[in-house]
Short mmCIF file of all heavy atoms in Angstrom, two decimals:
data_model
loop_
_atom_site.label_atom_id
_atom_site.label_comp_id
_atom_site.label_asym_id
_atom_site.label_seq_id
_atom_site.Cartn_x
_atom_site.Cartn_y
_atom_site.Cartn_z
N SER U 307 12.10 7.70 -3.38
CA SER U 307 11.74 9.13 -3.42
C SER U 307 12.73 10.03 -2.77
O SER U 307 12.67 11.28 -2.93
CB SER U 307 10.33 9.31 -2.83
OG SER U 307 10.32 8.88 -1.49
N GLN U 308 13.64 9.45 -2.01
CA GLN U 308 14.79 10.14 -1.40
C GLN U 308 15.88 9.14 -1.19
O GLN U 308 15.71 7.95 -1.28
CB GLN U 308 14.37 10.81 -0.03
CG GLN U 308 14.06 9.82 1.06
CD GLN U 308 13.62 10.44 2.37
OE1 GLN U 308 12.52 10.97 2.48
NE2 GLN U 308 14.51 10.37 3.32
N SER U 309 17.06 9.64 -0.90
CA SER U 309 18.20 8.75 -0.74
C SER U 309 17.99 7.83 0.41
O SER U 309 17.60 8.17 1.54
CB SER U 309 19.49 9.61 -0.46
OG SER U 309 20.57 8.67 -0.27
N ILE U 310 18.28 6.52 0.14
CA ILE U 310 18.20 5.49 1.20
C ILE U 310 19.55 4.77 1.33
O ILE U 310 19.58 3.62 1.87
CB ILE U 310 17.11 4.46 0.84
CG1 ILE U 310 17.29 3.85 -0.50
CG2 ILE U 310 15.73 5.12 0.95
CD1 ILE U 310 16.29 2.67 -0.79
N ASP U 311 20.63 5.45 0.88
CA ASP U 311 21.94 4.90 1.04
C ASP U 311 21.94 3.54 0.29
O ASP U 311 21.65 3.45 -0.89
CB ASP U 311 22.34 4.79 2.49
CG ASP U 311 23.82 4.57 2.72
OD1 ASP U 311 24.56 4.40 1.75
OD2 ASP U 311 24.26 4.54 3.85
N ILE U 312 22.25 2.48 0.94
CA ILE U 312 22.21 1.09 0.34
C ILE U 312 21.16 0.25 1.02
O ILE U 312 21.17 -1.01 0.81
CB ILE U 312 23.65 0.39 0.44
CG1 ILE U 312 24.04 0.23 1.98
CG2 ILE U 312 24.70 1.09 -0.33
CD1 ILE U 312 25.19 -0.68 2.13
N TYR U 313 20.20 0.87 1.71
CA TYR U 313 19.24 0.07 2.47
C TYR U 313 18.05 -0.36 1.56
O TYR U 313 16.89 0.01 1.84
CB TYR U 313 18.78 0.88 3.71
CG TYR U 313 19.91 1.05 4.66
CD1 TYR U 313 20.58 2.32 4.68
CD2 TYR U 313 20.43 0.05 5.43
CE1 TYR U 313 21.71 2.52 5.56
CE2 TYR U 313 21.55 0.22 6.28
CZ TYR U 313 22.16 1.42 6.32
OH TYR U 313 23.21 1.60 7.12
N LEU U 314 18.35 -1.17 0.61
CA LEU U 314 17.39 -1.63 -0.33
C LEU U 314 17.49 -3.16 -0.44
O LEU U 314 18.58 -3.71 -0.59
CB LEU U 314 17.69 -1.04 -1.71
CG LEU U 314 16.69 -1.16 -2.89
CD1 LEU U 314 16.71 -2.47 -3.51
CD2 LEU U 314 15.26 -0.84 -2.41
N ASN U 315 16.36 -3.81 -0.31
CA ASN U 315 16.23 -5.30 -0.37
C ASN U 315 15.30 -5.73 -1.52
O ASN U 315 14.43 -4.98 -1.91
CB ASN U 315 15.70 -5.76 0.91
CG ASN U 315 16.38 -5.10 2.10
OD1 ASN U 315 17.62 -5.11 2.23
ND2 ASN U 315 15.65 -4.36 2.95
N TRP U 316 15.51 -6.93 -2.02
CA TRP U 316 14.71 -7.46 -3.05
C TRP U 316 14.12 -8.81 -2.64
O TRP U 316 14.79 -9.65 -2.00
CB TRP U 316 15.57 -7.74 -4.33
CG TRP U 316 15.99 -6.51 -5.09
CD1 TRP U 316 17.28 -5.93 -4.90
CD2 TRP U 316 15.30 -5.70 -6.00
NE1 TRP U 316 17.29 -4.82 -5.75
CE2 TRP U 316 16.12 -4.66 -6.37
CE3 TRP U 316 13.99 -5.87 -6.57
CZ2 TRP U 316 15.78 -3.78 -7.34
CZ3 TRP U 316 13.63 -4.91 -7.52
CH2 TRP U 316 14.47 -3.87 -7.91
N TYR U 317 12.86 -9.03 -3.00
CA TYR U 317 12.17 -10.22 -2.63
C TYR U 317 11.53 -10.85 -3.88
O TYR U 317 11.16 -10.10 -4.86
CB TYR U 317 11.02 -9.96 -1.61
CG TYR U 317 11.49 -9.39 -0.35
CD1 TYR U 317 11.71 -7.98 -0.25
CD2 TYR U 317 11.75 -10.17 0.70
CE1 TYR U 317 12.17 -7.43 0.97
CE2 TYR U 317 12.25 -9.60 1.90
CZ TYR U 317 12.39 -8.28 2.06
OH TYR U 317 12.84 -7.71 3.19
N GLN U 318 11.26 -12.15 -3.86
CA GLN U 318 10.59 -12.91 -4.86
C GLN U 318 9.34 -13.49 -4.24
O GLN U 318 9.51 -14.07 -3.14
CB GLN U 318 11.49 -13.98 -5.43
CG GLN U 318 10.83 -14.95 -6.48
CD GLN U 318 11.70 -16.18 -6.67
OE1 GLN U 318 11.85 -17.04 -5.78
NE2 GLN U 318 12.29 -16.30 -7.83
N GLN U 319 8.24 -13.39 -4.95
CA GLN U 319 7.03 -14.07 -4.43
C GLN U 319 6.36 -14.80 -5.44
O GLN U 319 6.11 -14.29 -6.58
CB GLN U 319 6.04 -13.05 -3.78
CG GLN U 319 4.95 -13.77 -3.02
CD GLN U 319 4.02 -12.82 -2.26
OE1 GLN U 319 3.82 -11.67 -2.66
NE2 GLN U 319 3.42 -13.31 -1.17
N LYS U 320 6.06 -16.05 -5.19
CA LYS U 320 5.24 -16.92 -6.09
C LYS U 320 3.89 -17.09 -5.59
O LYS U 320 3.60 -16.93 -4.37
CB LYS U 320 5.93 -18.28 -6.21
CG LYS U 320 7.31 -18.16 -6.83
CD LYS U 320 8.04 -19.49 -7.01
CE LYS U 320 9.40 -19.40 -7.65
NZ LYS U 320 10.10 -20.66 -7.80
N PRO U 321 2.90 -17.40 -6.44
CA PRO U 321 1.46 -17.46 -6.02
C PRO U 321 1.25 -18.44 -4.87
O PRO U 321 1.80 -19.52 -4.82
CB PRO U 321 0.78 -17.97 -7.31
CG PRO U 321 1.66 -17.46 -8.43
CD PRO U 321 3.08 -17.55 -7.91
N GLY U 322 0.58 -17.94 -3.83
CA GLY U 322 0.25 -18.77 -2.71
C GLY U 322 1.39 -19.00 -1.70
O GLY U 322 1.25 -19.76 -0.72
N LYS U 323 2.50 -18.32 -1.99
CA LYS U 323 3.67 -18.51 -1.12
C LYS U 323 4.04 -17.18 -0.41
O LYS U 323 3.73 -16.11 -0.93
CB LYS U 323 4.88 -19.03 -1.89
CG LYS U 323 4.65 -20.31 -2.58
CD LYS U 323 4.52 -21.45 -1.61
CE LYS U 323 4.45 -22.82 -2.29
NZ LYS U 323 4.32 -23.93 -1.34
N ALA U 324 4.81 -17.32 0.67
CA ALA U 324 5.32 -16.11 1.31
C ALA U 324 6.49 -15.55 0.48
O ALA U 324 7.12 -16.27 -0.28
CB ALA U 324 5.84 -16.46 2.73
N PRO U 325 6.80 -14.26 0.60
CA PRO U 325 7.85 -13.65 -0.08
C PRO U 325 9.25 -14.35 0.37
O PRO U 325 9.30 -14.83 1.53
CB PRO U 325 7.87 -12.21 0.33
CG PRO U 325 6.46 -11.94 0.65
CD PRO U 325 5.95 -13.26 1.31
N LYS U 326 10.24 -14.29 -0.47
CA LYS U 326 11.54 -14.84 -0.20
C LYS U 326 12.60 -13.72 -0.42
O LYS U 326 12.57 -13.10 -1.48
CB LYS U 326 11.80 -16.01 -1.08
CG LYS U 326 13.18 -16.62 -1.02
CD LYS U 326 13.40 -17.69 -2.04
CE LYS U 326 14.82 -18.19 -2.12
NZ LYS U 326 15.02 -19.23 -3.15
N LEU U 327 13.47 -13.54 0.60
CA LEU U 327 14.48 -12.58 0.45
C LEU U 327 15.56 -13.04 -0.50
O LEU U 327 16.08 -14.15 -0.38
CB LEU U 327 15.09 -12.28 1.83
CG LEU U 327 16.31 -11.36 1.91
CD1 LEU U 327 15.88 -9.96 1.56
CD2 LEU U 327 16.93 -11.38 3.27
N LEU U 328 15.86 -12.22 -1.47
CA LEU U 328 16.89 -12.56 -2.47
C LEU U 328 18.20 -11.79 -2.21
O LEU U 328 19.32 -12.35 -2.15
CB LEU U 328 16.42 -12.22 -3.87
CG LEU U 328 15.19 -12.90 -4.40
CD1 LEU U 328 14.81 -12.31 -5.78
CD2 LEU U 328 15.37 -14.42 -4.44
N ILE U 329 18.09 -10.49 -2.07
CA ILE U 329 19.24 -9.53 -2.04
C ILE U 329 18.91 -8.62 -0.86
O ILE U 329 17.78 -8.06 -0.74
CB ILE U 329 19.40 -8.73 -3.29
CG1 ILE U 329 19.52 -9.60 -4.55
CG2 ILE U 329 20.50 -7.72 -3.18
CD1 ILE U 329 20.88 -10.22 -4.69
N TYR U 330 19.91 -8.32 -0.04
CA TYR U 330 19.79 -7.30 1.06
C TYR U 330 20.89 -6.28 0.96
O TYR U 330 21.97 -6.62 0.49
CB TYR U 330 19.67 -8.00 2.39
CG TYR U 330 20.88 -8.76 2.81
CD1 TYR U 330 21.87 -8.23 3.60
CD2 TYR U 330 21.02 -10.09 2.44
CE1 TYR U 330 22.99 -8.89 3.95
CE2 TYR U 330 22.19 -10.85 2.81
CZ TYR U 330 23.12 -10.22 3.62
OH TYR U 330 24.18 -10.95 3.93
N THR U 331 20.63 -5.11 1.51
CA THR U 331 21.46 -3.94 1.40
C THR U 331 22.10 -3.84 0.08
O THR U 331 23.38 -3.79 -0.11
CB THR U 331 22.56 -3.95 2.55
OG1 THR U 331 23.25 -5.25 2.59
CG2 THR U 331 21.92 -3.72 3.92
N ALA U 332 21.22 -3.80 -0.90
CA ALA U 332 21.52 -3.46 -2.28
C ALA U 332 22.20 -4.54 -3.10
O ALA U 332 21.82 -4.80 -4.19
CB ALA U 332 22.35 -2.16 -2.41
N SER U 333 23.15 -5.20 -2.48
CA SER U 333 24.00 -6.10 -3.32
C SER U 333 24.40 -7.36 -2.73
O SER U 333 25.21 -8.21 -3.30
CB SER U 333 25.27 -5.36 -3.82
OG SER U 333 26.03 -4.99 -2.69
N ASN U 334 23.92 -7.65 -1.50
CA ASN U 334 24.33 -8.85 -0.79
C ASN U 334 23.38 -10.00 -1.08
O ASN U 334 22.18 -9.85 -0.83
CB ASN U 334 24.38 -8.60 0.74
CG ASN U 334 25.54 -7.69 1.06
OD1 ASN U 334 26.69 -8.08 1.12
ND2 ASN U 334 25.19 -6.40 1.31
N LEU U 335 23.96 -11.16 -1.51
CA LEU U 335 23.06 -12.26 -1.87
C LEU U 335 22.72 -13.04 -0.67
O LEU U 335 23.59 -13.44 0.17
CB LEU U 335 23.86 -13.15 -2.82
CG LEU U 335 23.07 -14.26 -3.63
CD1 LEU U 335 22.13 -13.60 -4.57
CD2 LEU U 335 24.10 -15.17 -4.32
N GLN U 336 21.41 -13.22 -0.41
CA GLN U 336 20.95 -14.03 0.70
C GLN U 336 21.48 -15.49 0.62
O GLN U 336 21.54 -16.04 -0.54
CB GLN U 336 19.47 -14.04 0.85
CG GLN U 336 18.83 -14.85 1.94
CD GLN U 336 19.13 -14.42 3.31
OE1 GLN U 336 19.96 -13.62 3.62
NE2 GLN U 336 18.47 -15.06 4.28
N SER U 337 21.73 -16.08 1.72
CA SER U 337 22.26 -17.49 1.70
C SER U 337 21.25 -18.38 0.92
O SER U 337 20.03 -18.36 1.17
CB SER U 337 22.42 -18.03 3.11
OG SER U 337 22.73 -19.33 3.14
N GLY U 338 21.76 -19.22 0.08
CA GLY U 338 20.98 -20.15 -0.65
C GLY U 338 20.35 -19.67 -1.92
O GLY U 338 19.73 -20.42 -2.67
N VAL U 339 20.54 -18.37 -2.27
CA VAL U 339 19.95 -17.87 -3.47
C VAL U 339 20.96 -17.97 -4.57
O VAL U 339 22.16 -17.72 -4.36
CB VAL U 339 19.66 -16.27 -3.21
CG1 VAL U 339 19.19 -15.67 -4.54
CG2 VAL U 339 18.53 -16.15 -2.18
N PRO U 340 20.56 -18.43 -5.75
CA PRO U 340 21.48 -18.68 -6.87
C PRO U 340 22.19 -17.37 -7.29
O PRO U 340 21.67 -16.27 -7.19
CB PRO U 340 20.59 -19.13 -7.97
CG PRO U 340 19.40 -19.66 -7.31
CD PRO U 340 19.18 -18.85 -6.09
N SER U 341 23.41 -17.57 -7.74
CA SER U 341 24.32 -16.40 -8.06
C SER U 341 23.84 -15.72 -9.33
O SER U 341 24.36 -14.65 -9.72
CB SER U 341 25.75 -16.91 -8.25
OG SER U 341 25.81 -17.87 -9.20
N ARG U 342 22.88 -16.22 -10.07
CA ARG U 342 22.36 -15.51 -11.26
C ARG U 342 21.62 -14.28 -10.87
O ARG U 342 21.33 -13.36 -11.67
CB ARG U 342 21.48 -16.40 -12.11
CG ARG U 342 20.23 -16.92 -11.44
CD ARG U 342 19.45 -17.75 -12.39
NE ARG U 342 18.27 -18.31 -11.81
CZ ARG U 342 18.16 -19.41 -11.12
NH1 ARG U 342 19.33 -20.15 -10.95
NH2 ARG U 342 17.04 -19.94 -10.60
N PHE U 343 21.23 -14.15 -9.55
CA PHE U 343 20.61 -12.95 -9.06
C PHE U 343 21.65 -11.98 -8.57
O PHE U 343 22.58 -12.34 -7.83
CB PHE U 343 19.65 -13.27 -7.89
CG PHE U 343 18.46 -14.06 -8.32
CD1 PHE U 343 18.39 -15.43 -8.26
CD2 PHE U 343 17.25 -13.36 -8.76
CE1 PHE U 343 17.29 -16.13 -8.66
CE2 PHE U 343 16.17 -14.05 -9.14
CZ PHE U 343 16.15 -15.47 -9.09
N ARG U 344 21.55 -10.68 -9.07
CA ARG U 344 22.55 -9.67 -8.68
C ARG U 344 21.82 -8.38 -8.44
O ARG U 344 20.96 -7.95 -9.20
CB ARG U 344 23.61 -9.50 -9.77
CG ARG U 344 24.65 -8.50 -9.48
CD ARG U 344 25.69 -8.52 -10.53
NE ARG U 344 26.64 -7.37 -10.38
CZ ARG U 344 26.55 -6.17 -10.85
NH1 ARG U 344 25.46 -5.91 -11.61
NH2 ARG U 344 27.47 -5.27 -10.59
N GLY U 345 22.22 -7.71 -7.35
CA GLY U 345 21.63 -6.41 -7.02
C GLY U 345 22.77 -5.34 -7.04
O GLY U 345 23.92 -5.64 -6.78
N SER U 346 22.34 -4.16 -7.46
CA SER U 346 23.28 -3.05 -7.48
C SER U 346 22.54 -1.71 -7.25
O SER U 346 21.36 -1.64 -7.26
CB SER U 346 24.04 -2.97 -8.81
OG SER U 346 23.14 -2.74 -9.89
N GLY U 347 23.38 -0.69 -6.98
CA GLY U 347 22.81 0.65 -6.76
C GLY U 347 23.06 1.26 -5.43
O GLY U 347 23.49 0.51 -4.50
N SER U 348 22.76 2.56 -5.31
CA SER U 348 22.85 3.23 -4.01
C SER U 348 22.17 4.59 -4.17
O SER U 348 21.92 5.03 -5.37
CB SER U 348 24.36 3.40 -3.62
OG SER U 348 24.98 4.28 -4.48
N GLY U 349 21.86 5.20 -3.03
CA GLY U 349 21.19 6.48 -3.14
C GLY U 349 19.67 6.29 -3.38
O GLY U 349 18.93 5.93 -2.54
N THR U 350 19.30 6.59 -4.62
CA THR U 350 17.88 6.52 -5.04
C THR U 350 17.62 5.51 -6.12
O THR U 350 16.45 5.14 -6.34
CB THR U 350 17.37 7.87 -5.49
OG1 THR U 350 18.06 8.28 -6.63
CG2 THR U 350 17.46 8.90 -4.40
N ASP U 351 18.64 4.99 -6.77
CA ASP U 351 18.42 4.11 -7.93
C ASP U 351 19.06 2.77 -7.78
O ASP U 351 20.25 2.67 -7.54
CB ASP U 351 19.00 4.74 -9.21
CG ASP U 351 18.18 6.06 -9.54
OD1 ASP U 351 16.89 5.96 -9.55
OD2 ASP U 351 18.77 7.08 -9.78
N PHE U 352 18.30 1.74 -7.99
CA PHE U 352 18.64 0.39 -7.75
C PHE U 352 18.30 -0.54 -8.83
O PHE U 352 17.29 -0.28 -9.58
CB PHE U 352 18.15 -0.10 -6.40
CG PHE U 352 18.56 0.68 -5.27
CD1 PHE U 352 17.84 1.86 -4.89
CD2 PHE U 352 19.66 0.36 -4.50
CE1 PHE U 352 18.20 2.65 -3.84
CE2 PHE U 352 20.07 1.18 -3.44
CZ PHE U 352 19.37 2.30 -3.06
N THR U 353 19.00 -1.66 -9.00
CA THR U 353 18.73 -2.62 -10.09
C THR U 353 18.79 -4.05 -9.55
O THR U 353 19.77 -4.36 -8.83
CB THR U 353 19.69 -2.41 -11.30
OG1 THR U 353 19.57 -1.13 -11.76
CG2 THR U 353 19.33 -3.43 -12.37
N LEU U 354 17.82 -4.90 -9.90
CA LEU U 354 17.97 -6.37 -9.73
C LEU U 354 18.10 -6.91 -11.16
O LEU U 354 17.31 -6.66 -12.09
CB LEU U 354 16.68 -6.88 -9.10
CG LEU U 354 16.60 -8.44 -9.04
CD1 LEU U 354 17.67 -8.94 -8.03
CD2 LEU U 354 15.19 -8.88 -8.68
N THR U 355 19.18 -7.78 -11.30
CA THR U 355 19.41 -8.41 -12.60
C THR U 355 19.42 -9.92 -12.43
O THR U 355 20.06 -10.44 -11.44
CB THR U 355 20.77 -7.99 -13.14
OG1 THR U 355 20.78 -6.56 -13.35
CG2 THR U 355 21.08 -8.70 -14.48
N ILE U 356 18.70 -10.59 -13.31
CA ILE U 356 18.74 -12.08 -13.34
C ILE U 356 19.53 -12.40 -14.63
O ILE U 356 19.06 -12.07 -15.74
CB ILE U 356 17.39 -12.67 -13.39
CG1 ILE U 356 16.47 -12.11 -12.24
CG2 ILE U 356 17.46 -14.19 -13.24
CD1 ILE U 356 15.08 -12.51 -12.27
N SER U 357 20.69 -12.97 -14.49
CA SER U 357 21.60 -13.06 -15.61
C SER U 357 21.09 -14.05 -16.70
O SER U 357 21.30 -13.82 -17.88
CB SER U 357 22.97 -13.50 -15.19
OG SER U 357 22.89 -14.78 -14.50
N SER U 358 20.47 -15.09 -16.31
CA SER U 358 19.91 -16.17 -17.19
C SER U 358 18.70 -16.75 -16.59
O SER U 358 18.77 -17.62 -15.74
CB SER U 358 21.00 -17.20 -17.52
OG SER U 358 20.42 -18.22 -18.31
N LEU U 359 17.58 -16.25 -17.02
CA LEU U 359 16.29 -16.62 -16.41
C LEU U 359 16.03 -18.11 -16.51
O LEU U 359 16.16 -18.71 -17.55
CB LEU U 359 15.15 -15.78 -17.18
CG LEU U 359 13.84 -15.67 -16.45
CD1 LEU U 359 13.96 -14.80 -15.23
CD2 LEU U 359 12.79 -15.03 -17.38
N GLN U 360 15.63 -18.64 -15.36
CA GLN U 360 15.31 -20.08 -15.30
C GLN U 360 13.76 -20.24 -15.10
O GLN U 360 13.09 -19.34 -14.63
CB GLN U 360 16.13 -20.69 -14.14
CG GLN U 360 17.61 -20.65 -14.30
CD GLN U 360 17.98 -21.32 -15.56
OE1 GLN U 360 17.73 -22.51 -15.80
NE2 GLN U 360 18.65 -20.54 -16.45
N PRO U 361 13.30 -21.44 -15.34
CA PRO U 361 11.83 -21.67 -15.26
C PRO U 361 11.28 -21.29 -13.91
O PRO U 361 10.19 -20.83 -13.79
CB PRO U 361 11.66 -23.12 -15.58
CG PRO U 361 12.79 -23.49 -16.44
CD PRO U 361 14.01 -22.59 -15.91
N GLU U 362 12.08 -21.60 -12.84
CA GLU U 362 11.60 -21.33 -11.48
C GLU U 362 11.65 -19.84 -11.07
O GLU U 362 11.19 -19.45 -9.95
CB GLU U 362 12.44 -22.11 -10.47
CG GLU U 362 13.90 -21.83 -10.45
CD GLU U 362 14.73 -22.71 -11.39
OE1 GLU U 362 14.14 -23.18 -12.43
OE2 GLU U 362 15.86 -23.02 -11.01
N ASP U 363 12.13 -18.98 -11.92
CA ASP U 363 12.25 -17.56 -11.68
C ASP U 363 11.03 -16.76 -12.13
O ASP U 363 10.92 -15.56 -11.76
CB ASP U 363 13.51 -16.93 -12.40
CG ASP U 363 14.79 -17.58 -11.99
OD1 ASP U 363 14.84 -18.16 -10.90
OD2 ASP U 363 15.73 -17.54 -12.78
N PHE U 364 10.07 -17.39 -12.77
CA PHE U 364 8.84 -16.72 -13.13
C PHE U 364 8.03 -16.47 -11.86
O PHE U 364 7.58 -17.39 -11.18
CB PHE U 364 8.07 -17.46 -14.18
CG PHE U 364 8.83 -17.48 -15.49
CD1 PHE U 364 9.60 -18.63 -15.85
CD2 PHE U 364 8.74 -16.36 -16.36
CE1 PHE U 364 10.31 -18.57 -16.99
CE2 PHE U 364 9.46 -16.42 -17.55
CZ PHE U 364 10.25 -17.49 -17.84
N ALA U 365 7.90 -15.20 -11.44
CA ALA U 365 7.37 -14.77 -10.17
C ALA U 365 7.18 -13.30 -10.18
O ALA U 365 7.42 -12.63 -11.17
CB ALA U 365 8.34 -15.22 -9.05
N THR U 366 6.78 -12.78 -9.07
CA THR U 366 6.68 -11.32 -8.83
C THR U 366 7.84 -10.89 -7.90
O THR U 366 8.10 -11.55 -6.93
CB THR U 366 5.32 -10.89 -8.30
OG1 THR U 366 4.31 -11.30 -9.22
CG2 THR U 366 5.29 -9.39 -8.09
N TYR U 367 8.48 -9.81 -8.26
CA TYR U 367 9.60 -9.27 -7.57
C TYR U 367 9.30 -7.93 -6.97
O TYR U 367 8.72 -7.08 -7.62
CB TYR U 367 10.86 -9.24 -8.45
CG TYR U 367 11.32 -10.54 -8.92
CD1 TYR U 367 10.71 -11.18 -10.00
CD2 TYR U 367 12.31 -11.26 -8.25
CE1 TYR U 367 11.07 -12.48 -10.39
CE2 TYR U 367 12.68 -12.52 -8.60
CZ TYR U 367 12.04 -13.13 -9.69
OH TYR U 367 12.40 -14.40 -10.12
N TYR U 368 9.75 -7.75 -5.69
CA TYR U 368 9.52 -6.50 -4.94
C TYR U 368 10.78 -5.92 -4.41
O TYR U 368 11.61 -6.64 -3.87
CB TYR U 368 8.62 -6.71 -3.80
CG TYR U 368 7.21 -7.12 -4.11
CD1 TYR U 368 6.91 -8.52 -4.20
CD2 TYR U 368 6.21 -6.23 -4.37
CE1 TYR U 368 5.63 -8.92 -4.48
CE2 TYR U 368 4.87 -6.67 -4.66
CZ TYR U 368 4.64 -7.98 -4.74
OH TYR U 368 3.31 -8.37 -5.06
N CYS U 369 10.98 -4.62 -4.50
CA CYS U 369 11.97 -3.93 -3.80
C CYS U 369 11.39 -3.38 -2.53
O CYS U 369 10.16 -3.22 -2.42
CB CYS U 369 12.68 -2.80 -4.63
SG CYS U 369 11.62 -1.49 -5.08
N GLN U 370 12.22 -3.18 -1.48
CA GLN U 370 11.75 -2.69 -0.17
C GLN U 370 12.95 -1.89 0.41
O GLN U 370 14.06 -2.37 0.48
CB GLN U 370 11.41 -3.86 0.76
CG GLN U 370 11.02 -3.43 2.12
CD GLN U 370 11.98 -4.10 3.17
OE1 GLN U 370 12.67 -5.16 2.96
NE2 GLN U 370 12.15 -3.40 4.33
N GLN U 371 12.61 -0.70 0.97
CA GLN U 371 13.60 -0.01 1.64
C GLN U 371 13.55 -0.25 3.12
O GLN U 371 12.47 -0.34 3.71
CB GLN U 371 13.52 1.53 1.31
CG GLN U 371 12.21 2.24 1.73
CD GLN U 371 12.19 2.68 3.18
OE1 GLN U 371 13.20 2.73 3.85
NE2 GLN U 371 11.03 3.02 3.67
N SER U 372 14.77 -0.35 3.77
CA SER U 372 14.84 -0.51 5.17
C SER U 372 15.65 0.57 5.82
O SER U 372 16.23 0.38 6.90
CB SER U 372 15.47 -1.91 5.48
OG SER U 372 16.68 -2.09 4.77
#
Side-chain angles (χ1 to χ4, degrees):
Chain U
S307 59
Q308 66 181 73
S309 177
I310 56 171
D311 196 357
I312 59 167
Y313 296 102
L314 190 283
N315 314 302
W316 291 97
Y317 301 85
Q318 175 194 69
Q319 190 174 30
K320 297 181 180 180
K323 300 292 187 182
K326 174 186 175 183
L327 177 66
L328 299 176
I329 302 285
Y330 62 95
T331 51
S333 61
N334 292 283
L335 194 67
Q336 173 70 349
S337 176
V339 174
S341 59
R342 62 180 179 273
F343 291 93
R344 179 175 174 271
S346 63
S348 65
T350 60
D351 294 309
F352 301 86
T353 300
L354 174 69
T355 300
I356 309 172
S357 59
S358 178
L359 199 65
Q360 297 302 300
E362 60 268 31
D363 300 337
F364 292 96
T366 301
Y367 294 83
Y368 295 91
C369 63
Q370 175 243 335
Q371 62 83 13
S372 50

